[in-house]
Amino acid sequence: MSVISAVWIPGQGAGSVADDLRDLDRRLDGWIDEHEAALDGLRDPDPDPLRQIEKSRQLQRALHEGGWAQCGWPEIVGGTGGSILHRAVVCERLTRRGFVTFGMFEHLEVLLPALIRFGAPDFVATAGPEFLSGRGSWAQGFSEPDAGSDLISLRTTARRVDGGFRIDGRKIWTSWAAHATRCLVLARTGNPEARHRSLTMLAVDLDDPRIEVLPIRQANGGAELAEVVFDGVVVGSDRVVGDVDGGWAVALEVLLHERGTFTWFRLCVLLGRMRRLLKAGLRERADPRALGELIADVVSARSAAVDALLDAARNEESLARASVCKLQLSQVEQGLYDLAVSTFGPDLTLGLLGGPLAELTQQEFQFSRIVTLYGGSTQMQLDAIARQVLGL
Amino acid sequence: VTTESHFEEFVSSAAEAFGRDPGDGSLAGVGFDDLLDESLDDAYVRSAVFATFVAHGRRLGRSSALFRLIARPYVNAYGLDERRTVAGLALRHTGVTAQVAVPAYLGESDLLVDLGESAGVVVVEPADVEPVGAASLDPDLVQVVEVPVGKSRLASGAAEAAAARVLAHSAGCLAAAMELLGAGQAVMSLGVEHARSREQFGRPIAEFQAVRHLLAQASLNVQSIDHLCRATLRTMGSIDALPSDIAKAVAGRNARRAADSVCQVLGGTGFTWEHPFHGLQRRILVLDSLVIGSESVLAELARTVEGAGDPANLPSLPAQAEAAFASSRRSA
């Protein structure tokens, strides 16, 4: 049996980036072998959303204890260094080994890079390690009832008070708000006429009594979305992420990851679920032409995701290229569940597949219908490509 | 400086050459045959070779580049004369004759035709080549000839022949995918240019969301080819190689989709002989059907799913990073 260090440190391998990544991959694989008994229950998602959330917390804690949750993150958030490529390798190995229950910790890849880049160092040094260790997690408070695709029209205000800001307003579709400890809130700090130049990003504790979280009962039975009401919530100046009136830059950084690099991580999860479905009979029962088309789309999307990761590792990200990733990812996610429904028919729709698989796949099918909405609707992504890539 | 950063420079200089002379003359200009003398295992050589095909697609080249590239592994395996040998792609054959897709301008080249594992490889002299007068959709690129296959057969059982077949197929697929990428990019330029200049209802049609989304969707299709071709190029020949027939199939499918969207944006103008669109559309349809058809690749992909439920052939991140960050051994 191999000796496995408690904490993997990048750059301890033979030299090149690739050797380093392969070394990390091997060590994580070995660690999973060694801890099989403790980890096995954390593999599959649970159809009950609350039990699922608890499972994802347990998995995050186990990964942190093993030293894997810290890989690829900078020291300031309690990380052991390395880059997004290291995180990508960790995610791929975990999903290959059947762990697809990241739940709200998928959000790490959406929010944490922007927090690290723009947050006040002392605050980041507190909140970052909480998030990585599973002790805390984050909600993303961007959309409002009257500001969806037109995010810049948002009306939640943050007014200067002694030592900080007072937040009033209402957010909606706030992912994980009922279960998270903190929320990234985009609010208006100036004249609405100034459009994106009067927005500020704030980090807010969700246990504040002047915050009301109203969970939204989702069509798929899930519980990650909520409406959040802010009624005179006061936060200190250290909770400003980025510059006052400079919140749009932070929002763009979040979107860059949500649409771009996140594609790799989400694809890993989808591949994990696809393996589950293939083993459950999709491989034998699916029309080969349709399955082949899905695989070609997976390979395609993954190639775009590789380029997004390499761009991020070189600090050369682009929001327009991120849209290309996001659109391909949506196509794969919907394509996978379209194929599952058309292949399994009533075995899926009437719940006859073995174990929790039918229920999970039903939920995942329904969720796949909104992937063309969150993170910017497909129509917004097409607009972005027309404007930024084609110059129209 | 990485090899990867040279790629776009290679495309530009080759595109310039094909802009002056779309035929085989430009291949000499960009040193194509000299590049083929070297190994495609070299990332720099590989980059320059496949960039040529992107340029060929963008400028609707009329050269025999694809057929020379496919011939090369056999030329090396059998010790043939590389300057006078091009490949013909067998479409169907009896024991006596074969119908073969060959370059539009065959000249005095010998034709090397691989009829498959059992029938083997034949070399046909120019005198034996008979045009069949079939209507090629892209007569600047490819025509069909009939050749006798009863004689001049090369040993087919050798390990060298099998290896040559794999190499030729892999290189041919990626080259066709790259050319489809180039043609797709050229189609995009036509669509964007037209949307900006054509006015209806008192404004450029580029201002209408219906038109913008058609073009953005087309661009998405073309950019997807780009990412997949890059990933395939990076790891070609390594143990982590992506099979290039996936790139070929996706490129054919996506380029056709992009051409359909742009065709709609171009309106009646795109349906005229004078407009360059139909040339690109012809090139795309022909390339999609050549080397290997996308339909057969897609159906075959389903069979690559392994016992553990894993689709084979996913891009490997360490291998991709290794190739992307490798510094170039030479300067451009």
Side-chain angles (χ1 to χ4, degrees):
Chain A
M1 190 173 290
S2 64
V3 179
I4 293 148
S5 66
V7 177
W8 182 88
I9 308 287
Q12 303 292 298
S16 74
V17 178
D19 290 336
D20 208 31
L21 297 175
R22 291 191 179 105
D23 179 50
L24 168 62
D25 188 37
R26 259 191 311 275
R27 284 166 181 268
L28 175 55
D29 206 35
W31 179 82
I32 296 169
D33 286 341
E34 290 210 342
H35 296 79
E36 191 58 56
L39 293 171
D40 187 42
L42 304 178
R43 276 203 163 82
D44 294 321
D46 194 303
D48 177 86
L50 296 181
R51 281 205 301 269
Q52 153 65 18
I53 286 165
E54 190 42 41
K55 261 191 172 190
S56 63
R57 245 187 226 119
Q58 285 173 20
L59 178 62
Q60 188 66 24
R61 285 179 187 153
L63 292 173
H64 189 261
E65 275 166 34
W68 308 108
Q70 298 90 317
C71 286
W73 292 106
E75 224 171 293
I76 188 164
V77 293
T80 48
S83 73
I84 193 167
L85 300 179
H86 296 94
R87 276 133 55 194
V89 163
V90 168
C91 183
E92 171 161 40
R93 177 49 55 194
L94 289 169
T95 48
R96 268 188 194 280
R97 294 294 303 265
F99 297 93
V100 289
T101 50
F102 302 112
M104 54 202 175
F105 295 97
E106 278 188 64
H107 245 170
L108 277 164
E109 285 300 334
V110 175
L111 298 181
L112 197 50
L115 277 171
I116 291 169
R117 182 167 166 200
F118 290 102
D122 285 348
F123 175 67
V124 171
T126 308
E130 276 176 19
F131 200 177
L132 283 183
S133 65
R135 282 179 288 131
S137 66
W138 283 71
Q140 182 182 347
F142 286 17
S143 294
E144 295 184 8
D146 293 319
S149 291
D150 184 13
L151 184 59
I152 288 176
S153 301
L154 65 83
R155 292 195 294 216
T156 293
T157 56
R159 293 195 174 83
R160 252 187 215 285
V161 293
D162 234 8
F165 290 87
R166 176 200 153 114
I167 306 170
D168 291 277
R170 185 177 282 262
K171 294 285 175 183
I172 196 168
W173 315 124
T174 310
S175 359
W176 305 112
H179 316 283
T181 51
R182 300 188 205 261
C183 186
L184 203 56
V185 176
L186 189 60
R188 176 120 5 239
T189 33
N191 190 336
E193 255 95 83
R195 304 282 289 161
H196 67 278
R197 290 181 302 278
S198 62
L199 296 172
T200 300
M201 194 71 84
L202 296 153
V204 182
D205 293 346
L206 282 167
D207 62 1
D208 192 302
R210 285 152 300 182
I211 291 178
E212 192 183 5
V213 176
L214 308 160
I216 294 168
R217 193 169 177 199
Q218 293 165 214
N220 69 338
E224 64 246 49
L225 299 176
E227 198 166 352
V228 184
V229 183
F230 300 85
D231 184 10
V233 178
V234 176
V235 296
S237 299
D238 65 320
R239 297 305 188 88
V240 174
V241 180
D243 294 331
V244 173
D245 291 336
W248 191 243
V250 187
L252 288 181
E253 177 80 10
V254 170
L255 291 179
L256 197 59
H257 286 91
E258 183 170 20
R259 296 172 183 173
T261 52
F262 182 63
T263 298
W264 170 272
F265 298 88
R266 184 71 185 166
L267 264 179
C268 285
V269 170
L270 288 174
L271 272 162
R273 294 170 174 183
M274 183 168 160
R275 290 182 189 108
R276 196 176 68 204
L277 288 166
L278 286 166
K279 274 191 272 190
L282 191 66
R283 183 160 68 117
E284 291 76 22
R285 292 169 65 177
D287 166 35
R289 173 67 174 69
L291 178 54
E293 183 114 17
L294 175 65
I295 294 172
D297 286 338
V298 168
V299 174
S300 244
R302 202 164 133 116
S303 303
V306 164
D307 283 342
L309 292 176
L310 295 175
D311 284 346
R314 291 185 283 233
N315 287 318
E316 289 173 4
E317 296 113 311
S318 118
L319 201 54
R321 286 202 300 270
S323 291
V324 171
C325 284
K326 167 77 182 163
L327 288 169
Q328 290 202 71
L329 176 66
S330 302
Q331 190 180 333
V332 166
E333 185 150 356
Q334 295 194 338
L336 170 61
Y337 291 103
D338 284 342
L339 184 65
V341 165
S342 58
T343 302
F344 290 122
D347 288 348
L348 174 54
T349 58
L350 304 182
L352 299 176
L353 288 174
L357 189 61
E359 206 182 339
L360 279 172
T361 309
Q362 289 167 4
Q363 290 174 356
E364 288 161 6
F365 174 90
Q366 286 177 297
F367 186 84
S368 74
R369 300 305 105 170
I370 66 153
V371 299
T372 43
L373 291 170
Y374 73 73
S377 69
T378 291
Q379 286 64 36
M380 294 299 291
Q381 311 297 340
L382 291 173
D383 275 347
I385 291 175
R387 213 174 38 249
Q388 294 160 11
V389 178
L390 303 178
L392 294 176
Chain B
V1 179
T2 62
T3 301
E4 201 147 281
S5 50
H6 290 316
F7 189 79
E8 200 45 46
E9 291 170 33
F10 289 137
V11 175
S12 304
S13 59
E16 210 175 290
F18 287 124
R20 288 192 302 268
D21 169 10
D24 281 338
S26 284
L27 288 185
V30 299
F32 187 74
D33 280 322
D34 299 335
L35 282 168
L36 290 189
D37 287 341
E38 302 190 48
S39 168
L40 289 180
D41 290 341
D42 182 312
Y44 182 90
V45 171
R46 200 159 70 228
S47 198
V49 165
F50 288 101
T52 308
F53 288 94
V54 178
H56 206 260
R58 278 192 204 163
R59 292 302 178 100
L60 281 183
R62 301 174 175 195
S63 80
S64 57
L66 179 66
F67 302 90
R68 288 183 180 281
L69 176 78
I70 292 174
R72 189 50 79 99
Y74 299 97
V75 163
N76 294 343
Y78 293 112
L80 306 172
D81 179 354
E82 73 273 8
R83 305 287 146 166
R84 50 172 294 140
T85 309
V86 299
L89 303 171
L91 303 171
R92 52 182 57 83
H93 65 94
T94 65
V96 187
T97 61
Q99 286 184 342
V100 181
V102 300
Y105 306 100
L106 197 50
E108 287 304 297
S109 301
D110 287 340
L111 206 52
L112 180 143
V113 186
D114 187 347
L115 299 170
E117 254 168 71
S118 53
V121 180
V122 297
V123 175
V124 183
E125 289 177 9
D128 289 334
V129 172
E130 198 69 50
V132 300
S136 169
L137 198 52
D138 188 359
D140 291 336
L141 182 74
V142 59
Q143 59 171 321
V144 180
V145 297
E146 192 161 273
V147 296
V149 293
K151 53 175 184 172
S152 55
R153 222 164 264 209
L154 301 170
S156 68
E160 289 89 348
R165 181 169 293 135
V166 171
L167 270 177
H169 180 73
S170 162
C173 281
L174 186 57
M178 291 278 184
E179 182 152 353
L180 282 158
L181 169 62
Q185 291 168 338
V187 158
M188 284 312 304
S189 301
L190 293 180
V192 167
E193 196 181 307
H194 181 79
R196 280 202 187 117
S197 57
R198 169 73 174 165
E199 292 194 6
Q200 286 289 273
F201 304 100
R203 48 191 168 135
I205 60 169
E207 289 181 20
F208 294 98
Q209 199 169 50
V211 172
R212 298 167 71 82
H213 283 194
L214 264 178
L215 288 174
Q217 189 68 53
S219 172
L220 170 66
N221 276 309
V222 174
Q223 289 183 73
S224 306
I225 306 175
D226 195 353
H227 290 296
L228 182 49
C229 278
R230 272 169 207 273
T232 307
L233 181 67
R234 277 189 198 122
T235 52
M236 191 177 198
S238 79
I239 52 163
D240 291 306
L242 273 179
S244 49
D245 48 9
I246 302 180
K248 168 68 173 63
V250 170
R253 182 193 71 177
N254 287 15
R256 285 177 61 177
R257 286 178 179 171
D260 287 347
S261 300
V262 168
C263 186
Q264 179 69 16
V265 170
L266 292 174
T269 312
F271 192 59
T272 61
W273 189 264
E274 287 83 353
H275 196 279
F277 174 75
H278 72 98
L280 290 162
Q281 187 184 40
R282 288 161 183 274
R283 176 64 50 96
I284 287 168
L285 286 169
V286 163
L287 283 173
D288 183 38
S289 71
L290 220 54
V291 188
I292 188 165
S294 42
E295 290 304 310
S296 63
V297 175
L298 293 177
E300 193 54 44
L301 266 181
R303 278 182 275 278
T304 66
V305 175
E306 291 155 0
D310 211 21
N313 312 323
L314 296 173
S316 145
L317 184 60
Q320 293 287 326
E322 185 159 50
F325 294 142
S327 55
S328 178
R329 295 192 291 104
R330 312 185 218 184
S331 56

